[in-house]
Amino acid sequence: MPKREYNFTDIEQKWQGFWEGCGLFHVDENSTKEKFYCLVMFPYPSGTLHVGHGRNYIIGDVVTRYKIMKGYNVLSPIGWDAFGLPAENAAIKSSVHPAIWTRNNIKAMKRQLHRWGVGYDWNREITSCEPNYYKWTQWIFLKLYENNLAYKKKAAVNWCPSCATVLANEQVVNGCCERCDTPVRQRDLEQWFFRIGQYSQKLLDDLALLEGWPERVKTMQANWIGRSEGVRIDFRLEESGKILSCFTTRPDTLYGVTFVSLAPEHPVIGKLISGTPQEKHILNFVEKARNQSMVERTAEGTEKEGIFTGKYVINPVSNDKVPLWVANYVLMEYGTGAVMGVPAHDQRDFQFAKKYNLPVKIVIQPEGKELNVNTMKEAHADNGIQVNSGMFDGIPNTEAVRKITEYLESKGIGTKTVTYRLRDWLISRQRYWGAPIPIVYCEKCGTLPVPESQLPVVLPEEVEFKSHGMSPLAQAGSFIHTKCPKCSGMAQREIDTMDTFVDSSWYFLRYLSPKDNTRPFITEKVNKWLPVNQYIGGVEHAILHLLYSRFITKVLYDLGCIGFREPFEHLFTQGMIIKDGAKMSKSKGNVVSPDILIDKYGADTQRLYILFIGPPQKDAEWNDRGVLGAYRFLNRLWQKITDYEDIYTKVPRFDIHIQELSAEAKTLYRQTNQTVKKITEDLDTSWHFNTAIASIMELLNKVDSFNVVTPHTDEEKI
RNA sequence: GGGCGAGUGGUGGAAUGGCAGACACGAAGGACUUAAAAUCCUUUGGCCGUAAAAAGGCCGUGUGGGUUCGACUCCCACCUCGCCCACCA
């Protein structure tokens, strides 16, 4: 038999054309079939795609096609998360406008997605940097502003004094500017925040609703929200008698307090030390601590440093007089910005006390051994029995937590408090390439939101990019100067843009009405199609993107705009593709281009290999030889199928009489059905694409050996 | 320091309480070829066994314990690696 060639180019072009022609991936919204919303995280248009990106889209494509075959009405949309810092950096480096750079990248990546043969409803494509999209990102901002969920306050940014510009955390390398190596300083700017903190408890509670999410992602979110129960205890300043509150989760250690520390930013410091001889020293210390960049100050191994204020506070239960310090490890944003120091029972306090010769006082003795102040090498943070604790002596410390809290509350010197680690979401970016924040500042009328009728606030395209200095928007006079929406007098626009996470926290609603210019989304449609049945993306988004999307969904639900509280029913997080020991990425220089592989072996080979490489939720090592194996298999399969084309096109599909088959043919028939069953299970319940493919390979191997041992007549019956 | 995950042949992996190593890669040998590539066939965890083979046997899933008739799989402790977070009071 003459060998025919497996001409993947023709085959793939033919079928891609066929799918497009029959609109396989276009959703018929009037269909009576059950809906299925399959969503892949929309890509950032960074340049070109590499095979590592492909995993996400190929898995999404498999799910989409499988659900279509199972009879669902499947929505599988795609778009572009198109605002962001890399576009701006490209503009500075190579003088290409971010808009041009971004649109070119989108064009290139779109071509690549098409070549991969992944199926989307392209009629619904959205691009977050286009005015018809960011108009509605601005609308979301206005809704939050109207409902007191957006506010402005001073917050520190990383500031490079040499470039005179704000740096993102990732642009700070070892505490220095990545471009000029100048040490980065902290600088306070007025910035916009969303009150996600107000939703901490809801975001935590509703994790329980997410049965289709991986446990580890839910745990990560719960840890990030970081609820902790404790007590706010009122200490008093020795001289003035004024209250200084400390937050603690360990009220049982209250009798062991030997000092109290303040965050360098604590507002009480200034007044407290004003006019004292040590004032200058302390202010120097505060200044130094505040100039450590966030990254540096919170990095592991940063030396704990402090300075004595010369003042004392009074312990409300023991009446001990303890020194008041300022320490760089105390954070103003968490708790009250003041911490009680218990060296005997907190390791960090222990180190601090040893360094500055502060006393150690044991108030909890572990059972079975006795702690001694003079021989302790580290703090005892575990449980034990209360000692040196007045009326609470002799009870287990776990009980003392409750008893001391009750006592403090009854005396009015403490309050049970729940705190969350989750801070409000800083959405201001001193950048050009983002959605402008729709706010106007009028000298007469103050801070005003841009009326909805005036949206979008269009990002001007004629601006200058300089390697240093302020955001290009700050120099765009025609953008800044505007009329006050209230008094029509002279006013100025906000020049900060929004964090790109705002763009991506609602895009899944827009796919249902991507071109509607009258509203961000259509309530009836999103209520019908959401929550998303299956969301697929990288685990690196387990916290921020997924938490922000949940937050915005909850806000819109509370405002009555939508009828569901969680956006994503099932979540799948795929593993990374590793090459030469590192995640495949352009910056590491270890990318494999899909285009070259498609030219050589075809898209199906690449798709098959990506699915065969290993369990999809785990990281996988890329191996060029593995691609060849996938190619060989497809060749064999294609040869086998075309060999018998004339037979099975003639025989009706289910016209097989089992009784008439030979024993070998019967076995093969059974094995075929077993394979179908195995693949169905792999796709339905576990997403074991690799073993599904392996079982087809096995079946093909069996078909091959069947031909060898059986006379030709039996083949024809199959 | 906290959280999550993973340790199985030369490699990616399969088996999740019942024959460990499916499937694939690589390697070795052979067929075809002037030759190479491609393709096809055979072998391929280690050790013992044998003149060579075969039969057969023993060992083997990071380490040490445990549960069980039976453990890669479940439980406890430890070691190593990866990822995420981290001075959170």
Side-chain angles (χ1 to χ4, degrees):
Chain A
M1 208 179 292
K3 278 276 174 212
R4 295 166 312 280
E5 202 189 339
Y6 167 52
N7 189 334
F8 50 83
T9 310
D10 287 356
I11 294 169
E12 285 168 12
Q13 263 176 16
K14 175 189 156 190
W15 286 102
Q16 285 170 15
F18 175 79
W19 298 327
E20 198 163 335
C22 72
L24 183 61
F25 300 103
H26 291 174
V27 174
D28 171 11
E29 292 192 28
N30 299 317
S31 165
T32 54
K33 292 178 184 171
E34 195 181 334
K35 70 95 181 177
F36 190 91
Y37 188 170
C38 179
L39 183 66
V40 291
M41 289 182 184
F42 67 161
Y44 177 75
S46 57
T48 49
L49 294 164
H50 56 70
V51 292
H53 296 118
R55 207 176 196 191
N56 186 233
Y57 310 116
I58 290 164
I59 292 171
D61 189 56
V62 169
V63 174
T64 297
R65 285 167 190 274
Y66 183 63
K67 290 294 175 182
I68 290 174
M69 287 189 252
K70 288 278 238 180
Y72 288 89
N73 189 23
V74 180
L75 170 61
S76 168
I78 189 83
W80 308 96
D81 186 15
F83 273 136
L85 194 56
E88 218 162 318
N89 287 339
I92 292 164
K93 240 200 219 153
S94 44
S95 320
V96 191
H97 194 282
I100 310 267
W101 184 84
T102 303
R103 283 172 199 143
N104 282 343
N105 288 345
I106 289 175
K107 224 167 131 188
M109 288 167 71
K110 209 164 156 175
R111 211 196 94 250
Q112 288 181 303
L113 288 177
H114 274 112
R115 286 199 79 193
W116 257 326
V118 289
Y120 300 111
D121 189 344
W122 283 100
N123 293 338
R124 295 168 188 274
E125 181 181 1
I126 57 177
T127 307
S128 67
C129 67
E130 299 297 342
N132 68 5
Y133 183 89
Y134 69 70
K135 173 179 180 179
W136 303 113
T137 306
Q138 293 170 338
W139 180 91
I140 300 252
F141 177 93
L142 291 180
K143 282 292 149 200
L144 272 87
Y145 182 81
E146 279 164 25
N147 290 282
N148 193 29
L149 289 166
Y151 66 99
K152 212 175 182 191
K153 73 167 181 192
K154 278 211 159 158
V157 292
N158 298 309
W159 178 261
C160 173
S162 155
C163 300
T165 190
V166 175
L167 300 177
N169 272 344
E170 67 201 48
Q171 294 174 307
V172 180
V173 180
N174 299 325
C176 295
C177 173
E178 66 169 359
R179 288 202 204 114
C180 65
D181 252 358
T182 310
V184 170
R185 321 191 106 212
Q186 292 300 291
R187 197 173 174 188
D188 280 334
L189 294 179
E190 284 280 327
Q191 305 196 69
W192 288 96
F193 286 82
F194 284 166
R195 285 189 210 279
I196 192 172
Q198 206 168 298
Y199 277 75
S200 297
Q201 194 60 50
K202 280 187 185 176
L203 288 165
L204 190 63
D205 289 343
D206 286 356
L207 287 173
L209 303 175
L210 302 175
E211 284 170 25
W213 281 39
E215 276 312 312
R216 64 180 179 135
V217 173
K218 287 192 273 187
T219 311
M220 281 162 91
Q221 290 218 349
N223 291 340
W224 186 258
I225 295 166
R227 179 190 157 102
S228 61
E229 287 175 28
V231 199
R232 221 182 57 225
I233 302 174
D234 294 339
F235 285 67
R236 282 186 188 274
L237 296 167
E238 181 202 27
E239 287 168 356
S240 63
K242 279 191 180 158
I243 289 173
L244 178 73
S245 295
C246 295
F247 174 77
T248 183
T249 54
R250 292 293 303 274
D252 51 323
T253 64
L254 181 53
Y255 285 85
V257 173
T258 58
F259 65 96
V260 166
S261 306
L262 298 171
E265 296 87 351
H266 202 291
V268 83
I269 295 172
K271 273 178 250 161
L272 198 64
I273 57 166
S274 163
T276 63
Q278 64 273 27
E279 180 178 7
K280 213 178 152 192
H281 263 94
I282 296 169
L283 290 181
N284 271 345
F285 176 84
V286 167
E287 185 61 22
K288 199 181 133 203
R290 300 219 52 208
N291 268 332
Q292 283 180 314
S293 72
M294 277 315 184
V295 174
E296 194 183 345
R297 199 167 136 197
T298 57
E300 183 181 13
T302 300
E303 183 74 15
K304 290 171 190 32
E305 284 176 5
I307 188 164
F308 178 42
T309 59
K311 304 288 173 182
Y312 292 86
V313 295
I314 306 297
N315 184 323
V317 290
S318 65
N319 287 316
D320 287 347
K321 179 175 127 181
V322 296
L324 181 63
W325 286 63
V326 178
N328 66 345
Y329 69 85
V330 182
L331 307 174
M332 194 59 220
E333 296 86 358
Y334 187 78
T336 60
V339 184
M340 56 188 226
V342 189
H345 305 293
D346 182 284
Q347 185 57 22
R348 203 180 34 195
D349 294 345
F350 185 83
Q351 286 170 1
F352 193 79
K354 286 287 157 200
K355 178 166 177 178
Y356 293 106
N357 271 320
L358 292 160
V360 178
K361 186 182 168 193
I362 294 166
V363 293
I364 296 169
Q365 281 291 357
E367 285 181 79
K369 62 174 177 177
E370 185 144 345
L371 297 177
N372 184 315
V373 171
N374 300 316
T375 56
M376 274 178 96
K377 290 270 186 318
E378 56 178 15
H380 173 74
D382 295 337
N383 292 333
I385 304 293
Q386 298 290 135
V387 295
N388 295 323
S389 296
M391 66 179 109
F392 301 100
D393 278 356
I395 59 171
N397 73 302
T398 44
E399 201 177 312
V401 170
R402 206 186 63 233
K403 290 229 164 125
I404 292 178
T405 304
E406 280 166 13
Y407 176 76
L408 291 169
E409 286 202 301
S410 72
K411 293 280 171 186
I413 46 180
T415 321
K416 227 178 176 172
T417 316
V418 174
T419 53
Y420 300 90
R421 249 183 43 131
L422 183 64
R423 320 245 174 93
D424 279 345
W425 177 9
L426 197 170
I427 60 136
S428 286
R429 294 292 181 269
Q430 294 70 41
R431 300 277 159 197
Y432 165 73
W433 193 235
I437 294 173
I439 287 287
V440 164
Y441 302 103
C442 169
E443 264 179 43
K444 272 191 237 154
C445 313
T447 303
L448 293 167
V450 173
E452 197 182 319
S453 60
Q454 290 177 24
L455 295 183
V457 175
V458 176
L459 189 68
E461 300 221 346
E462 287 78 36
V463 291
E464 267 196 68
F465 294 93
K466 291 180 186 157
S467 61
H468 42 71
M470 298 169 86
S471 152
L473 274 190
Q475 298 148 37
S478 60
F479 175 78
I480 297 171
H481 303 298
T482 185
K483 271 200 264 177
C484 169
K486 202 166 169 189
C487 71
S488 297
M490 296 259 282
Q492 301 217 322
R493 284 196 191 283
E494 169 65 63
I495 55 165
D496 282 357
T497 54
M498 278 186 258
D499 179 5
T500 54
F501 278 116
V502 183
D503 308 328
S504 59
S505 63
W506 74 280
Y507 76 106
F508 39 90
L509 304 174
R510 185 67 178 167
Y511 283 131
L512 278 313
S513 54
K515 294 177 183 109
D516 190 340
N517 269 326
T518 63
R519 53 201 152 166
F521 51 84
I522 298 172
T523 303
E524 308 84 70
K525 282 199 187 186
V526 296
N527 284 350
K528 181 184 161 198
W529 281 91
L530 279 99
V532 168
N533 296 84
Q534 183 65 61
Y535 198 24
I536 303 167
V539 74
E540 65 272 22
H541 295 110
I543 295 174
L544 297 180
H545 163 62
L546 290 169
L547 197 64
Y548 294 149
S549 300
R550 295 182 61 220
F551 164 62
I552 295 294
T553 301
K554 288 184 185 309
V555 170
L556 293 173
Y557 174 81
D558 288 346
L559 297 179
C561 301
I562 56 178
F564 47 93
R565 282 148 65 171
E566 286 291 336
F568 314 121
E569 189 181 12
H570 291 271
L571 173 71
F572 184 86
T573 53
Q574 87 271 2
M576 294 181 303
I577 297 289
I578 309 288
K579 182 142 193 291
D580 310 325
K583 177 185 177 175
M584 198 176 278
S585 76
K586 208 154 68 171
S587 58
K588 299 239 169 58
N590 59 352
V591 296
V592 175
S593 159
D595 294 314
I596 295 167
L597 288 174
I598 290 174
D599 288 343
K600 220 165 156 187
Y601 305 113
D604 282 331
T605 293
Q606 200 183 131
R607 292 161 55 110
L608 189 80
Y609 176 61
I610 283 275
L611 294 169
F612 186 61
I613 194 168
Q617 68 278 12
K618 280 174 65 178
D619 290 353
E621 175 89 28
W622 181 268
N623 178 355
D624 286 330
R625 302 302 309 230
V627 180
L628 210 62
Y631 180 67
R632 284 206 282 252
F633 167 69
L634 284 182
N635 256 297
R636 281 177 59 210
L637 183 66
W638 185 84
Q639 296 292 350
K640 189 59 66 184
I641 285 170
T642 47
D643 278 353
Y644 295 100
E645 204 168 8
D646 51 329
I647 297 173
Y648 62 71
T649 47
K650 273 180 223 140
V651 178
R653 202 160 156 207
F654 295 107
D655 193 14
I656 295 173
H657 304 283
I658 300 162
Q659 288 76 15
E660 293 169 18
L661 296 178
S662 68
E664 287 86 352
K666 253 185 219 167
T667 304
L668 186 59
Y669 183 68
R670 189 169 60 245
Q671 285 165 338
T672 307
N673 282 307
Q674 283 166 344
T675 304
V676 171
K677 181 163 179 271
K678 160 81 177 151
I679 291 167
T680 308
E681 284 165 1
D682 279 346
L683 293 186
D684 271 340
T685 56
S686 52
W687 287 29
H688 288 170
F689 307 123
N690 52 335
T691 53
I693 291 166
S695 66
I696 300 174
M697 290 174 168
E698 281 176 77
L699 183 65
L700 182 62
N701 291 345
K702 281 164 187 159
V703 171
D704 266 350
S705 28
F706 176 83
N707 287 338
V708 172
V709 298
T710 325
H712 195 69
T713 48
D714 267 357
E715 282 172 28
E716 295 197 336
K717 280 187 184 163
I718 270 290

